[in-house]
Amino acid sequence: MPQPILALASDHGGFEMKALLAADLPALGWAALDLGTDGPGSVDYPDFALALARALKEGRAERGLLVCGTGIGISIAANRHAHIRAALVHDGFGARMARQHNDANVLVLGGRTTGPEIARECLRIFLETPFEGGRHARRVAKLGEFGEK
């Protein structure tokens, strides 16, 4: 059975964290689809959120990881797409709830606000936690009714 694929993208503020987390993926049983950026030079975060949204829509990855300096801008940009449920999290509990209750398909972290060990924990929990369904499925379905038609 092939490994599931996680699409990763960041701006310059999240470049180092994205690289750190990409290195952890094989041990977690996931393959990486790195969509950039490829260095610390200044870039625009909406471009990388769009690249990740396209990768998920086209089926090139099952889930995504986005990182910018705070995680705020890139999560706003990602959530402009109706098929994206991007959750900016700061700890393992948030990562777990994002998956269990919200069926988040994109984890968002702040490269300048989240420490590396917390980021690794968030990623591991995000990838290991299934969607609970049940009463949450009705709520998540309503999210798809908003946005792009």
Side-chain angles (χ1 to χ4, degrees):
M1 180 185 285
Q3 287 184 313
I5 298 171
L6 181 76
L8 303 96
S10 70
D11 72 354
H12 53 282
F15 169 71
E16 286 184 27
M17 180 173 287
K18 177 181 64 95
L20 173 83
L21 296 175
D24 288 351
L25 287 177
L28 296 170
W30 287 70
L33 172 61
D34 192 335
L35 302 169
T37 191
D38 299 323
S42 182
V43 295
D44 297 334
Y45 62 81
D47 298 334
F48 295 92
L50 175 60
L52 187 134
R54 285 181 176 157
L56 291 182
K57 191 168 196 172
E58 294 166 0
R60 293 187 286 140
E62 284 73 22
R63 292 191 204 157
L65 169 69
L66 290 171
V67 190
C68 72
T70 63
I72 297 168
I74 208 162
S75 65
I76 292 170
N79 280 316
R80 300 271 181 187
H81 304 272
H83 66 286
I84 298 296
R85 291 175 307 282
L88 172 58
V89 303
H90 303 286
D91 55 34
F93 179 74
R96 182 172 290 106
M97 291 299 101
R99 287 289 307 135
Q100 280 183 342
H101 290 190
N102 306 114
D103 197 19
N105 57 359
V106 178
L107 174 67
V108 184
L109 297 168
R112 297 176 179 151
T113 60
T114 306
E117 292 312 310
I118 296 294
R120 284 180 158 137
E121 176 187 31
C122 288
L123 179 63
R124 179 186 57 76
I125 291 169
F126 180 79
L127 295 177
E128 292 176 354
T129 303
F131 177 47
E132 192 173 280
R135 69 186 188 278
H136 305 293
R138 180 182 74 249
R139 297 166 185 158
V140 170
K142 288 182 178 186
L143 297 174
E145 298 171 6
F146 305 149
E148 300 170 324
K149 296 288 182 187

